[in-house]
Amino acid sequence: MNILVISGEFPPFAGGAGTYCSYLVKALASYKHNVTLITKHYKENAAQEAEIDKKLSQQNIKCIRMQYSKCTFILSWCRIISAFLRHNKNFDFAILNGNIAQLVCCSPKLKKLLGKYITIQHGISAYDSLKKNRLLTIFHMKKQLNMFYRNAAANIAISQNLKNKLEQTVNMPNLHVILNCIDNETFTFPTKTENDDTLQLTTASRLIPGKNTAAVIELFAKLHRDFPNLHLNIAGTGSELPKLRSKVKELQIGSFVHFAGQLNVVDLCCLYQKSDVFILLSFYENLALVYLEANACGIPVIGSDVGGTREAINDGITGFVVPVDNEKIIYEKTKLLLSSKSLRKKMGEAGKKRVDENFSLATLGKNFDVLLNELKN
């Protein structure tokens, strides 16, 4: 089939929806679908974008990037995508990944040009985006969104938890669950050498308030008293970075904390591989890819009990799910893993097996291929 994917996020832009989209286009191409991707272009990322797009073209994925402006993207993208679709009418389906794509494409004129379309929901819905950004209400109404989701061939939630939430809070019929996935051919078992006597605790996310990275730093400061050879790796970038650096300095643990910045897939995989435990204490998640990535590298994971975390972590088997507001339990579970190499090995192996069986690129491709064939017939 000829598939058009429209996404507001895509690498090198950091974010779960963009990472998901990169896996989705590869998974679709692996099932011999002809994939065209329309996404954002940032001038400052031009070199990285060119490198990524070259690799995509080698997999028969065509990438079209449109200049992004926070103030005018609704109008400019709508005009550009409409012109593109009027000259390219041979798509069997359009897949709209995330809120930006859906807010752009829900205008009545553009919706007609899309033909059959599928939406992918990652968490905060387009309805919530309207509430947060009054400017968007100039272009959209709740009634318009209701009609848009009602006319979709399918609406996809990336976790069962998200599906349940959407069914309770918004008017979004014909909801399906296709779970998040990772590239388990890239994320593989660790290469940490046996004679390495350091312990490595790692977290990775956008550094924004909701990811609660400050709590990980405070936890590390306590754990370091028990494990003098413990180091903390923080991967990612964002608005909280200056505050986090200040907290590290305040706690006098700078010699043991490494801010890794925004990492590409290969470097992130290497970071997981040299780590002993992965932790993320977010205030909200749907089905965080980082849990799956770390597990795929044979690393046990600790995650806060919010959203779809229990779908990503098999509690007590591949890691631990902890109450985000209970510092004592978080400390005890993390200390338990750091204290036991055999438990880390056991949970890491279980995590790798579970990811390979349930969250692989092959699984995502198969699930979408089945759905597309059902919807086409």
Side-chain angles (χ1 to χ4, degrees), residues 8 25 29 33 57 107 153 176 186 196 227 229 278 301 310 343 376:
V25 295
H33 297 293
S57 67
S107 68
H176 302 251
T186 298
D196 188 347
F227 303 94
N229 61 336
F278 178 86
V301 298
R310 288 187 178 273
L343 181 60
K376 189 175 182 181

Side-chain angles (χ1 to χ4, degrees), residues 21-177:
C21 190
S22 70
Y23 294 149
L24 174 62
V25 295
K26 293 173 187 176
L28 291 169
S30 72
Y31 270 77
K32 307 304 180 184
H33 297 293
N34 298 313
V35 182
T36 300
L37 168 69
I38 296 177
T39 189
K40 285 180 183 176
H41 163 60
Y42 291 99
K43 288 182 179 179
E44 60 269 29
N45 291 340
Q48 290 174 285
E49 290 175 359
E51 184 178 344
I52 290 168
D53 297 352
K54 181 180 179 180
K55 291 179 180 178
L56 290 175
S57 67
Q58 293 169 353
Q59 300 172 68
N60 201 29
I61 300 166
K62 181 180 180 181
C63 185
I64 302 169
R65 293 189 184 259
M66 301 185 301
Q67 184 66 42
Y68 178 73
S69 167
K70 188 174 182 179
C71 297
T72 63
F73 78 91
I74 290 284
L75 288 175
S76 60
W77 282 25
C78 186
R79 184 174 64 253
I80 295 169
I81 295 173
S82 294
F84 174 82
L85 288 171
R86 280 193 290 269
H87 292 91
N88 298 271
K89 301 179 180 180
N90 61 334
F91 292 106
D92 296 288
F93 287 95
I95 297 177
L96 312 177
N97 179 59
N99 293 341
I100 289 179
Q102 291 158 34
L103 287 170
V104 168
C105 293
C106 75
S107 68
K109 290 183 180 179
L110 183 47
K111 187 175 71 172
K112 288 181 181 179
L113 294 172
L114 286 175
K116 288 185 179 180
Y117 61 92
I118 296 167
T119 77
I120 301 177
Q121 309 300 320
H122 290 274
I124 297 175
S125 71
Y127 294 97
D128 296 316
S129 296
L130 290 183
K131 293 177 184 176
K132 292 184 176 182
N133 189 338
R134 292 297 179 185
L135 180 64
L136 292 175
T137 60
I138 297 173
F139 306 100
H140 305 90
M141 296 181 294
K142 186 175 180 180
K143 183 179 179 181
Q144 184 174 309
L145 277 175
N146 289 344
M147 182 68 72
F148 180 72
Y149 291 123
R150 189 159 58 243
N151 290 344
N155 297 298
I156 307 297
I158 62 165
S159 71
Q160 184 61 48
N161 176 272
L162 179 57
K163 179 177 184 287
N164 296 342
K165 177 184 174 183
L166 291 171
E167 288 176 335
Q168 294 167 10
T169 58
V170 299
N171 185 3
M172 195 175 293
N174 198 18
L175 270 167
H176 302 251
V177 175

Side-chain angles (χ1 to χ4, degrees), residues 65-323:
R65 293 189 184 259
M66 301 185 301
Q67 184 66 42
Y68 178 73
S69 167
K70 188 174 182 179
C71 297
T72 63
F73 78 91
I74 290 284
L75 288 175
S76 60
W77 282 25
C78 186
R79 184 174 64 253
I80 295 169
I81 295 173
S82 294
F84 174 82
L85 288 171
R86 280 193 290 269
H87 292 91
N88 298 271
K89 301 179 180 180
N90 61 334
F91 292 106
D92 296 288
F93 287 95
I95 297 177
L96 312 177
N97 179 59
N99 293 341
I100 289 179
Q102 291 158 34
L103 287 170
V104 168
C105 293
C106 75
S107 68
K109 290 183 180 179
L110 183 47
K111 187 175 71 172
K112 288 181 181 179
L113 294 172
L114 286 175
K116 288 185 179 180
Y117 61 92
I118 296 167
T119 77
I120 301 177
Q121 309 300 320
H122 290 274
I124 297 175
S125 71
Y127 294 97
D128 296 316
S129 296
L130 290 183
K131 293 177 184 176
K132 292 184 176 182
N133 189 338
R134 292 297 179 185
L135 180 64
L136 292 175
T137 60
I138 297 173
F139 306 100
H140 305 90
M141 296 181 294
K142 186 175 180 180
K143 183 179 179 181
Q144 184 174 309
L145 277 175
N146 289 344
M147 182 68 72
F148 180 72
Y149 291 123
R150 189 159 58 243
N151 290 344
N155 297 298
I156 307 297
I158 62 165
S159 71
Q160 184 61 48
N161 176 272
L162 179 57
K163 179 177 184 287
N164 296 342
K165 177 184 174 183
L166 291 171
E167 288 176 335
Q168 294 167 10
T169 58
V170 299
N171 185 3
M172 195 175 293
N174 198 18
L175 270 167
H176 302 251
V177 175
I178 295 183
L179 294 174
N180 246 340
C181 86
I182 62 143
D183 184 351
N184 60 320
E185 293 180 1
T186 298
F187 293 99
T188 56
F189 250 56
T191 55
K192 187 176 170 71
T193 57
E194 290 297 321
N195 60 1
D196 188 347
D197 60 356
T198 64
L199 285 170
Q200 302 283 341
L201 180 66
T202 291
T203 189
S205 70
R206 281 185 284 180
L207 302 182
I208 57 177
K211 298 300 182 178
N212 199 23
T213 309
V216 176
I217 293 173
E218 291 168 359
L219 170 68
F220 172 78
K222 295 177 183 178
L223 289 165
H224 193 259
R225 293 194 286 266
D226 302 304
F227 303 94
N229 61 336
L230 180 64
H231 292 253
L232 173 64
N233 305 298
I234 301 174
T237 188
S239 60
E240 287 289 283
L241 182 57
K243 293 180 181 179
L244 298 175
R245 288 189 182 277
S246 294
K247 181 171 284 293
V248 167
K249 185 177 181 180
E250 175 191 331
L251 294 171
Q252 299 181 352
I253 51 176
S255 299
F256 305 94
V257 178
H258 172 56
F259 287 92
Q262 182 179 332
L263 301 178
N264 60 36
V265 171
V266 174
D267 290 338
L268 182 58
C269 178
C270 290
L271 179 61
Y272 289 138
Q273 288 177 335
K274 76 173 188 179
S275 302
D276 295 283
V277 177
F278 178 86
I279 187 167
L280 182 64
L281 299 176
S282 302
F283 292 124
Y284 59 85
E285 288 293 347
N286 284 297
L287 205 161
L289 291 171
V290 286
Y291 296 135
L292 305 177
E293 291 168 353
N295 265 168
C297 292
I299 310 302
V301 298
I302 297 173
S304 48
D305 194 3
V306 294
T309 297
R310 288 187 178 273
E311 293 175 68
I313 303 173
N314 189 350
D315 187 31
I317 305 297
T318 66
F320 294 116
V321 179
V322 295

